[in-house]
Amino acid sequence: MKDLQNVIVRMAPSPTGNLHIGTARTALFNYLFARRHGGKYILRFEDTDKTRSTKEFEKNILDGLMWLGIENDEVYLSSERTDIYVSYVKKMLDNGTAYVAEASELNPDKKVIRFKNPNKKVVFEDLIRGTVEFDTTELEDFIIARSVDDPLYHLAVVVDDHEMKITHVIRGEDHISNTPRQILIQEAIGAERPIYAHLPLIVDADHKKLSKRKHGAMVWVDTYKDEGYLPGALLNFFAFMGWNPGTEKEIFTLPELVEAFDIDRVQKGAAVFNIEKLKWFNKEHIKLLPEDEQAAIRAKEIGEEEYIKTAPELDLEKIAWKTSTKVEARTNLEKSLPLIGDKDALMKFAEEAGKGNVLWPIRYALSGKDKSPDPFTLIEILGVDESKKRIEKAIDQLL
Ligand code: GLU
């Protein structure tokens, strides 16, 4: 183990999209690790991809991290560090660990800079995944720069980590296959190898990787910010996506997380994103607020729910949207009806029959909206009688 007295970590987002929950989770783990060991946490925007990086995304990421309370000690922009990368590319060309070559056989006139792959086995100890081995032969002589002054990600990341004396690279598991290339470059420039810790992927309830294409707005931190979630609740939720304290305690403030965080307790297996759990964390964090703030949140919630004061008009196709048929939607509503007001029983039934199949028709029957609070919150706001009335109405319409 490297000296934990001098921990320096970095969060290295590419500003090619808004702040993603996976990015926020990685930032948090880096932050917790640094603060736990009295080290330094650096934020480094990797804007080397000039076509996809924008200032707007950079601002969104920075604002989102600040809103969450993940404060950095230093900020850097890769685009302002080109001279440093260039000096390393030149060094590599000089010492023969890189060479100028054609981009591809199809395009012999276009020149790029390739790394001279020693074709060897690379082994590293990952704090989370254990011993990882790669044969680098299949990577061939990969490209490290488009030209001497246009370095690519692998080179920039290694140079920056080296120059910034990064001791621990804590990042998403999707980067594990980049690690052998980066280790080879480190060896070529004589850089010390940092300790790696690859965090488990975040997946949905079906164990599918969370992606903006498949999951839409739920991957953006802004979505939760706009919906009124407390930053402390999100942090607590993110911390538990891949880590647990090994005790019964679940509600943690940020300072408490810093105190409790232990990277050895980060799991290897995928971390499941569970929105119900986030809602629960949010409720619990609201309870930590002073009385007057709690009352203000409650009043705002009720104000926002004004629209559900009158029974909604229902679209029958929509009510059956998540179930396969209207008959199934109706059956599930009928079975749910006597359970309204008994949260545990309703949840149990939903778990048996499929959450979306049960909870969506209820939610829609109660609110008539695509977007609304979860059915349990709606039942709480509307009351059991009014909720039952609306569900009965939906059942009638589905007959
Ligand atoms: N810039 C990379 C990304 O946004 C992260 C690189 C790293 O952590 O090494 O995915």
Side-chain angles (χ1 to χ4, degrees):
M1 195 46 141
K2 271 213 174 76
D3 192 355
L4 282 171
Q5 300 301 310
N6 293 304
V7 165
I8 306 179
V9 295
R10 80 322 188 258
M11 175 64 209
S14 304
T16 54
N18 284 336
L19 180 60
H20 190 287
I21 53 179
T23 308
R25 197 259 323 235
T26 302
L28 175 65
F29 281 43
N30 273 284
Y31 173 91
L32 294 177
F33 186 74
R35 294 289 174 267
R36 175 83 185 88
H37 299 291
K40 189 155 74 171
Y41 163 73
I42 293 174
L43 177 62
R44 185 173 79 213
F45 284 105
E46 293 193 332
D47 54 351
T48 40
D49 183 342
K50 297 184 190 92
T51 51
R52 293 173 56 226
S53 304
T54 72
K55 284 285 159 197
E56 287 72 32
F57 290 141
E58 193 183 301
K59 182 171 183 326
N60 180 276
I61 294 170
L62 187 62
D63 289 351
L65 292 173
M66 291 305 114
W67 174 74
L68 285 166
I70 306 176
E71 304 234 346
N72 55 268
D73 298 315
E74 293 167 10
V75 191
Y76 295 93
L77 286 181
S78 298
S79 56
E80 292 175 352
R81 300 171 57 78
T82 312
D83 291 352
I84 304 172
Y85 311 135
V86 171
S87 71
Y88 278 90
V89 174
K90 286 185 177 156
K91 248 185 249 172
M92 291 174 78
L93 288 170
D94 284 347
N95 72 16
T97 53
Y99 61 96
V100 178
E102 58 199 33
S104 72
E105 281 173 23
L106 296 174
N107 196 356
D109 291 338
K110 188 170 163 10
K111 299 290 185 230
V112 293
I113 295 170
R114 289 185 182 275
F115 177 68
K116 180 137 188 44
N117 189 339
N119 297 328
K120 58 182 230 178
K121 201 159 91 180
V122 165
V123 183
F124 64 96
E125 289 302 320
D126 189 285
L127 284 185
I128 297 162
R129 313 208 63 81
T131 307
V132 182
E133 271 190 43
F134 271 95
D135 183 348
T136 64
T137 311
E138 67 195 53
L139 302 176
E140 302 183 339
D141 287 358
F142 55 89
I143 303 174
I144 55 169
R146 285 193 204 89
S147 62
V148 175
D149 53 7
D150 192 1
L152 293 174
Y153 160 68
H154 288 299
L155 180 89
V157 97
V158 170
V159 167
D160 281 339
D161 287 348
H162 174 52
E163 289 276 322
M164 294 174 188
K165 301 188 168 48
I166 300 299
T167 56
H168 296 74
V169 169
I170 304 171
R171 59 184 177 187
E173 192 187 297
D174 44 335
H175 285 290
I176 204 155
S177 61
N178 291 332
T179 309
R181 283 186 188 81
Q182 294 173 6
I183 288 177
L184 291 179
I185 299 175
Q186 278 156 18
E187 292 177 350
I189 67 170
E192 206 179 321
R193 184 188 297 186
I195 291 174
Y196 288 96
H198 286 92
L199 305 174
L201 287 183
I202 302 175
V203 296
D204 67 13
D206 299 325
H207 277 251
K208 296 272 181 320
K209 190 182 163 187
L210 274 205
S211 72
K212 52 187 167 195
R213 201 166 45 80
K214 186 158 184 283
H215 298 90
M218 68 178 275
V219 306
W220 309 122
V221 167
D222 274 351
T223 304
Y224 305 95
K225 185 178 168 194
D226 295 346
E227 285 181 11
Y229 284 92
L230 298 179
L234 275 165
L235 289 174
N236 198 159
F237 174 69
F238 290 152
F240 275 71
M241 275 198 301
W243 173 84
N244 72 74
T247 63
E248 295 287 299
K249 184 171 157 77
E250 286 193 278
I251 305 303
F252 286 81
T253 61
L254 187 55
E256 287 171 337
L257 285 172
V258 168
E259 181 80 12
F261 187 74
D262 176 357
I263 201 153
D264 292 338
R265 296 201 55 86
V266 174
Q267 74 199 38
K268 256 194 225 173
V272 179
F273 181 94
N274 178 347
I275 188 76
E276 297 303 326
K277 188 87 194 184
L278 171 57
K279 287 175 184 165
W280 179 78
F281 274 123
N282 201 52
K283 283 209 181 98
E284 294 301 315
H285 276 264
I286 289 174
K287 292 183 199 160
L288 301 179
L289 296 173
E291 273 300 332
D292 54 337
E293 285 180 38
Q294 290 190 38
I297 289 176
R298 201 66 214 143
K300 185 163 173 283
E301 272 175 10
I302 292 169
E304 277 170 4
E305 306 315 340
E306 277 307 322
Y307 66 85
I308 51 174
K309 289 272 154 65
T310 49
E313 282 306 308
L314 301 178
D315 168 346
L316 296 187
E317 296 304 324
K318 254 188 198 159
I319 199 163
W321 178 54
K322 289 203 179 172
T323 56
S324 38
T325 60
K326 285 181 204 164
V327 177
E328 195 187 350
R330 195 188 72 220
T331 311
N332 286 342
L333 286 174
E334 280 170 350
K335 288 188 183 160
S336 306
L337 193 57
L339 309 176
I340 299 303
D342 183 347
K343 184 173 176 177
D344 291 346
L346 184 57
M347 201 56 197
K348 187 159 169 280
F349 170 53
E351 257 150 18
E352 283 160 16
K355 278 193 189 164
N357 292 342
V358 172
L359 299 180
W360 168 262
I362 299 178
R363 178 144 84 99
Y364 185 71
L366 295 178
S367 69
K369 302 265 176 194
D370 288 348
K371 282 189 187 150
S372 70
D374 68 85
F376 301 106
T377 309
L378 288 172
I379 294 166
E380 207 181 292
I381 295 170
L382 293 170
V384 172
D385 288 349
E386 175 65 13
S387 301
K388 284 190 171 173
K389 251 188 7 219
R390 290 186 188 191
I391 291 171
E392 274 161 355
K393 184 179 149 207
I395 293 171
D396 284 344
Q397 280 183 257
L398 283 164
L399 278 177

